[in-house]
Amino acid sequence: MPLFLYNDLTHQKEIFTPLEKGKVRFYVCGPTVYDYIHVGNARPFILFDILRRHMEDMGYEVVYVQNFTDIDDKMINKARDLGISVDELAERFITAYFEDADALGIRRATIYPRATHYIPQIIKLVERLIERGHAYVVDGDVYFDVLSFPGYGRLSKQSLEELLSGARVEIDPKKRHPLDFALWKAQKPGEPAWDSPWGMGRPGWHIECSAMAIDILGETIDIHAGGSDLLFPHHENEIAQAEAATGKAFVRYWIHNGYLLIEEEKMSKSLGNIVSVREAMRLYSPLAIRLFMLSAHYRSPLSFSGEALNHAVSAAGRLQNGWKELSFALQHRPRKKERDDVLRETIEATEARYEEELNDDFNTAGALGAAFDCVRAVNSYLAQHEEVDEESLIEAERFLARVDRVMGIIGIERLADIDDLMTSEIERLVSERERARKAKDFKKADAIREELAKKGIILEDTPHGTRWSKAM
RNA sequence: GGCGGCAUAGCCAAGUGGUAAGGCAAGGGACUGCAAAUCCCCUAUCCCCCGGUUCGAAUCCGGGUGCCGCCUCCA
């Protein structure tokens, strides 16, 4: 089954085919680096990274670009409040972004362009728009002329009149049309500025993404993603600028994730109801946060709550335990000669379903269901059979490792991250404890368990021996 | 006012024409020196309401009710 994605440009699910066979050009709108990111910001970053990993898992080469907006009103105001330069502010929160994103297990993008590093490309794009009659200069500002671009409103599915009617846009006498937007803003006193054909100034918000995407990925890219709040005006404007300048289709598939809600309301800075990623990670593991993000379809709203996160903690524990149980069985159970076809078929069916779900518009909740089915099948099998079918269990192990590689919700790498010396020491103590238990020397057995617990090693006594693992 | 989305068990949630995935919680059982866990089983005659189409609908159509988002900075 090929990959289907819901395209916001056409408002329907479509088969995904990249412009160039085997290669995907993927652009995601990144953060404005004026503060720590909150969990609502993290939703697209986690989700689209996983979509990209799934594409790689399917054999695509993915060039994945995520920008940093490091110059705009919010940056200028915040820098002023803190008494530092806009550049220092950007450095500080880009560093913070990487700390948070790395901790959340978000894989690094191929490239992280910054708006201020693309000023020449931005200026060139604005010049092109002026030449082609899509933009005009007023007192050092440059505006995009929406009336000159007939397709304006296609993405948000609204005509100019409709967009205006509910409008809370203030009338700006400089603009020809109220929906015209700034491509370049003339410098105000004290603001950072760059030299341009229209005098000192800085880029408008929307132009940076078009300029960077075009420069890095080309005039037509495969996927452009971001939160739904970017649909209008940000992405609508990006299309207008890019297509008016190049005359080519800018983005082939637009995808947007639904909002993260808190107490039934959108989590956003202006509402003041945010939970930062840092705060969330003090309480919940990255695995649980990731699982939580995957538990609903990416286009649906998702409610953040302590209850929901606690559910995710338990669910992630179940997956991880399933993995541990499986590894333990493969190491310690006697092998059976003949194959178990029922188990094998179940595992295969489960993996096939996992793929189908992800390929059906990135249905992560469905794919998770398949992963849980696999765990239950294995657990159930291990509960009923003393001797095990090694081949089938290896199949299951391979599948769960794949789930973890794409979704990052089991933590296999961290579980295995123990050096050999430590491992042999642990195993020596575990067998010493086993002997003590057999000799009914429970005092000693408990002491060993205590000692290892202090080192972050958890012991669990099972009917098949004592299983140990890292505390996570 | 315009545009769009959602309504499925106690909670979260998938499923969009063929007879209700999965997770959490609760209940029952297993295991166990203890503890902490863990595992297994079980849970919706039914998918907001009313009407229609169909052999057949949670899924399609019409109407209604409720909730949310966008049209302004926002992931």
Side-chain angles (χ1 to χ4, degrees), chain A residues 158-402:
Chain A
Q158 298 251 71
S159 67
L160 285 175
E161 298 71 48
E162 286 169 338
L163 284 165
L164 259 181
S165 68
R168 285 166 279 176
V169 276
E170 55 201 87
I171 306 297
D172 183 338
K174 286 182 179 176
K175 295 183 187 174
R176 292 182 192 166
H177 186 282
L179 289 173
D180 287 353
F181 54 91
L183 298 169
W184 187 262
K185 296 182 173 183
Q187 179 179 27
K188 290 184 196 136
E191 287 185 0
W194 291 263
D195 198 15
S196 82
W198 320 286
M200 295 297 285
R202 61 182 168 97
W205 174 37
H206 313 294
I207 194 73
E208 62 171 77
C209 285
S210 301
M212 294 188 287
I214 288 172
D215 190 68
I216 298 164
L217 296 173
E219 294 187 339
T220 298
I221 72 175
D222 290 306
I223 297 179
H224 194 128
S228 311
D229 37 10
L230 299 181
L231 230 147
F232 188 89
H234 186 52
H235 288 166
E236 191 71 63
N237 291 355
E238 279 193 53
I239 293 175
Q241 295 160 346
E243 300 194 350
T246 67
K248 292 181 189 158
F250 176 42
V251 171
R252 304 176 64 238
Y253 302 86
W254 282 97
I255 54 182
H256 296 90
N257 63 278
Y259 298 124
L260 192 75
L261 310 180
I262 185 159
E263 319 233 317
E264 308 295 301
E265 260 188 326
K266 176 181 170 187
M267 184 183 288
S268 80
K269 271 213 99 157
S270 42
L271 290 171
N273 57 358
I274 59 167
V275 177
S276 72
V277 164
R278 294 181 176 219
E279 287 172 72
M281 278 197 296
R282 273 198 288 275
L283 294 170
Y284 311 103
S285 73
L287 298 177
I289 293 172
R290 297 173 66 85
L291 185 72
F292 163 72
M293 295 289 186
L294 294 171
S295 68
H297 189 93
Y298 76 94
R299 286 192 280 112
S300 302
L302 175 63
S303 286
F304 183 91
S305 69
E307 195 192 4
L309 266 293
N310 283 327
H311 289 175
V313 169
S314 304
R318 180 173 165 81
L319 281 180
Q320 194 174 70
N321 194 71
W323 171 264
K324 289 185 199 168
E325 201 62 45
L326 184 54
S327 314
F328 186 68
L330 275 167
Q331 284 172 345
H332 297 278
R333 294 278 191 103
R335 306 290 199 260
K336 196 168 73 173
K337 281 280 170 327
E338 65 278 17
R339 257 207 287 191
D340 191 301
D341 290 332
V342 177
L343 176 64
R344 193 186 192 80
E345 278 161 25
T346 306
I347 291 165
E348 280 169 3
T350 262
E351 182 162 13
R353 207 189 120 212
Y354 161 87
E355 265 184 42
E356 270 171 38
E357 297 282 10
L358 286 186
N359 282 339
D360 183 9
D361 193 25
F362 196 43
N363 187 347
T364 54
L368 276 180
F372 280 107
D373 278 341
C374 175
V375 167
R376 176 149 29 70
V378 169
N379 283 340
S380 184
Y381 177 80
L382 293 177
Q384 283 163 23
H385 301 77
E386 179 56 34
E387 297 188 331
V388 299
D389 167 19
E390 183 178 22
E391 256 185 76
S392 298
L393 291 187
I394 287 175
E395 273 294 291
E397 193 177 44
R398 209 205 71 260
F399 170 45
L400 290 180
R402 180 184 186 195

